[in-house]
Amino acid sequence: QGLKPIVSTESPALIFGTTSKLASDLPATDSFLGKNKVPDLQKLFQKADGLPVHLKGGVPDKLLYRTTMALTIGGTIYCLVALYMASQPRNQ
């Protein structure tokens, strides 16, 4: 009567039962790839219209830029006010 093994000797069930396809196995013209938008975006961003590249995306880029600037200026003012208040002695 020897010792019985505590750990099961059976292999555990597979977590991922399906195999995934490698990129090299897929045909180059699958429908999920869609149209290549890079040439169109290159034309848009390389156009010499005087706009900086971070504003060439239209209204969403302008909105993000202005929001970032407002938060940066507001945060700077808040820090300066907090530093001024911290530098003043408290009245007792």
Side-chain angles (χ1 to χ4, degrees):
Q1 293 219 17
L3 297 173
K4 293 183 181 179
I6 297 174
V7 180
S8 173
T9 57
E10 297 176 6
S11 62
L14 292 175
I15 296 173
F16 301 104
T18 61
T19 60
S20 60
K21 292 183 180 180
L22 297 175
S24 61
D25 295 341
L26 296 174
T29 56
D30 273 349
S31 62
F32 67 87
L33 293 177
K35 183 184 175 221
N36 186 7
K37 298 179 184 177
V38 173
D40 298 332
L41 292 174
Q42 284 177 339
K43 288 177 189 174
L44 172 71
F45 287 112
Q46 292 177 356
K47 191 182 340 175
D49 55 2
L51 282 175
V53 72
H54 58 273
L55 294 178
K56 288 191 177 190
V59 175
D61 282 350
K62 289 178 185 176
L63 184 67
L64 283 171
Y65 177 74
R66 290 179 180 163
T67 303
T68 303
M69 286 292 103
L71 288 171
T72 302
I73 292 169
T76 302
I77 292 171
Y78 180 78
C79 283
L80 291 174
V81 168
L83 283 172
Y84 175 76
M85 290 175 61
S87 69
Q88 300 299 316
R90 292 189 178 190
N91 295 332
Q92 294 186 5

